[in-house]
């Protein structure tokens, strides 16, 4: 069974850094575009950063210059390096893959991880 598992969340002081990891496990052949989303309490989930299978990246204006998304296709993992963190970055961060192809020939669309909490204290 294919899973996306986020890790790296926790408590950090404002101005600090945190690196989130999204590791995909299972019978995976290829993972297409991957994104990090976040959801603050009482708010809708918002897009933070995306990376295509070819490594093209895009960022929300609120995190440009502070966050960096990267991927290692050989390891089926995507990282989100977060620097200069602000209390407003406090949220649950989710990894999302728009399409995963399995070795068994399945196409899995719209795959989400379970989320990891990031709390930035002022």
């Amino acid at each position: 069974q294919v899973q996306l598992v986020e890790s790296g969340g926790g408590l950090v002081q404002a101005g600090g850094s945190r690196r989130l990891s999204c590791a995909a496990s299972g019978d995976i052949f290829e993972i297409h575009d991957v994104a990090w989303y976040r959801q603050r309490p009482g708010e809708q989930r918002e897009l933070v950063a995306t990376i295509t299978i070819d490594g093209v990246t895009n960022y929300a204006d609120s995190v440009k210059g502070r966050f960096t998304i990267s991927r290692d296709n050989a390891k089926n993992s995507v990282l989100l390096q977060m620097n200069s963190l602000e209390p407003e970055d406090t949220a649950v961060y989710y990894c999302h893959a728009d399409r995963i192809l399995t070795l068994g020939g399945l196409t899995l669309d719209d795959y989400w991880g379970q989320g990891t909490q990031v709390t930035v204290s002022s």
Side-chain angles (χ1 to χ4, degrees):
Q1 183 173 354
V2 173
Q3 284 188 310
L4 293 179
V5 179
E6 300 97 334
S7 61
L11 177 64
V12 60
Q13 288 190 330
S17 298
R18 203 79 185 179
R19 186 171 70 176
L20 304 183
S21 175
C22 173
S25 64
D27 183 31
I28 296 171
F29 171 69
E30 189 173 77
I31 303 173
H32 287 205
D33 298 357
V34 178
W36 284 96
Y37 286 77
R38 66 186 181 188
Q39 188 167 19
R40 301 185 185 95
E43 298 185 12
Q44 289 190 333
R45 199 168 293 188
E46 66 171 348
L47 181 63
V48 174
T50 62
I51 187 165
T52 70
I53 191 171
D54 298 319
V56 177
T57 60
N58 197 20
Y59 299 91
D61 288 342
S62 59
V63 307
K64 275 181 184 176
R66 299 189 299 122
F67 290 11
T68 301
I69 189 171
S70 61
R71 67 189 293 165
D72 185 335
N73 291 335
K75 295 181 179 179
N76 291 325
S77 66
V78 174
L79 300 177
L80 184 68
Q81 178 66 43
M82 306 185 295
N83 298 328
S84 302
L85 283 162
E86 304 167 351
E88 293 73 25
D89 296 317
T90 296
V92 178
Y93 284 73
Y94 296 91
C95 178
H96 174 268
D98 73 334
R99 175 161 290 180
I100 298 175
L101 306 181
T102 73
L103 291 169
L106 294 177
T107 299
L108 307 174
D109 290 334
D110 198 25
Y111 232 76
W112 290 92
Q114 83 290 349
T116 185
Q117 174 72 46
V118 174
T119 302
V120 184
S121 63
S122 57

